[in-house]
Amino acid sequence: DQQVKQNSPSLSVQEGRISILNCDYTNSMFDYFLWYKKYPAEGPTFLISISSIKDKNEDGRFTVFLNKSAKHLSLHIVPSQPGDSAVYFCAASWEGSNYKLTFGKGTLLTVNP
Amino acid sequence: NAGVTQTPKFQVLKTGQSMTLQCAQDMNHNSMYWYRQDPGMGLRLIYYSASEGTTDKGEVPNGYNVSRLNKREFSLRLESAAPSQTSVYFCATLSTGRGNTIYFGEGSWLTVV
């Protein structure tokens, strides 16, 4: 029973274009969502988060959109850079869970020069 | 990943051996977590600790024990290692400063042969 799903194992985009990474969830209790980026042999690095009271959050080149009715969120990276090439994990939690994160399986993003 | 230190970074164990993974944080956070990551999987929660002296099971606790003796340190122990415990282990802490964000250490690579 996968509560957080990233259905695309990989994504390839050209440098300068937009990267869109998608994530779906099934648990209606989730009210806080995060994206992490992970390079090989390193720990996950926090990128951006969004609370369920919002539908959009921006931080520089990164924007997260949340569609609660569809239980869907997406991460947009504009413009994409070769250094963005990494595995991106979507994660979800809720306040009553002590912020225990449930992760998707990740999407490998490759940005080609 | 600054502030969350894991040791050792690499370890090879024989089946049946025991070992302890150490995690220390210098950010004065209350909550700490242990996750494992396996190929093609997201991170899965093993145990977490909401505060000093308290621990609770996560999604995959079997075969592990934890200890939170003080605020800084949260250790993960494998009493009798099995090949199924070959994985990358990540310690993490919860920051409640700018929103609620979990920060990860750099990981410990464990191989059980």
Side-chain angles (χ1 to χ4, degrees):
Chain A
D1 176 23
Q2 206 180 336
Q3 298 186 64
V4 177
K5 300 178 185 178
Q6 293 178 257
N7 292 319
S8 298
S10 63
L11 174 68
S12 183
V13 300
Q14 286 300 120
E15 181 178 4
R17 306 294 287 269
I18 184 171
S19 295
I20 300 176
L21 296 102
N22 293 303
C23 179
D24 298 294
Y25 62 96
T26 58
N27 190 337
S28 300
M29 297 283 290
F30 290 143
D31 60 11
Y32 191 62
F33 305 89
L34 307 89
W35 284 94
Y36 284 84
K37 172 175 154 180
K38 187 181 180 304
Y39 293 120
E42 294 185 10
T45 302
F46 169 73
L47 268 181
I48 192 169
S49 63
I50 188 167
S51 162
S52 61
I53 62 173
K54 294 185 174 182
D55 54 19
K56 177 182 174 181
N57 189 27
E58 277 183 272
D59 185 0
R61 295 186 298 115
F62 302 92
T63 302
V64 56
F65 295 92
L66 175 62
N67 182 333
K68 289 184 288 295
S69 60
K71 293 191 175 68
H72 176 82
L73 63 155
S74 60
L75 175 68
H76 292 210
I77 306 173
V78 185
S80 300
Q81 300 172 353
D84 295 330
S85 297
V87 177
Y88 288 78
F89 289 101
C90 170
S93 73
W94 71 92
E95 186 174 353
S97 74
N98 202 33
Y99 294 100
K100 292 182 289 183
L101 294 178
T102 300
F103 282 84
K105 293 186 177 182
T107 297
L108 173 63
L109 173 66
T110 303
V111 180
N112 302 302
Chain B
N1 295 333
V4 181
T5 304
Q6 293 181 229
T7 55
K9 191 164 179 77
F10 300 99
Q11 183 72 49
V12 178
L13 282 180
K14 293 183 179 178
T15 297
Q17 284 186 318
S18 62
M19 79 156 298
T20 299
L21 298 176
Q22 305 285 357
C23 176
Q25 53 108 355
D26 59 6
M27 297 178 285
N28 204 36
H29 293 163
N30 286 317
S31 296
M32 297 184 73
Y33 310 79
W34 275 105
Y35 286 86
R36 61 178 285 176
Q37 186 195 8
D38 301 296
M41 306 282 288
L43 284 79
R44 293 181 293 170
L45 182 65
I46 305 171
Y47 269 94
Y48 73 100
S49 170
S51 61
E52 178 183 345
T54 69
T55 62
D56 208 345
K57 295 178 180 178
E59 182 185 353
V60 288
N62 291 343
Y64 304 96
N65 285 303
V66 290
S67 178
R68 181 87 183 271
L69 294 178
N70 55 59
K71 195 170 188 178
R72 279 191 72 242
E73 298 170 299
F74 187 36
S75 60
L76 178 72
R77 183 161 178 84
L78 287 70
E79 291 291 352
S80 178
S84 61
Q85 294 178 303
T86 294
S87 189
V88 185
Y89 293 85
F90 292 101
C91 177
T93 67
L94 173 67
S95 167
T96 57
R98 271 196 331 170
N100 295 300
T101 303
I102 291 186
Y103 292 97
F104 287 84
E106 294 197 342
S108 296
W109 273 254
L110 177 65
T111 301
V112 183
V113 297

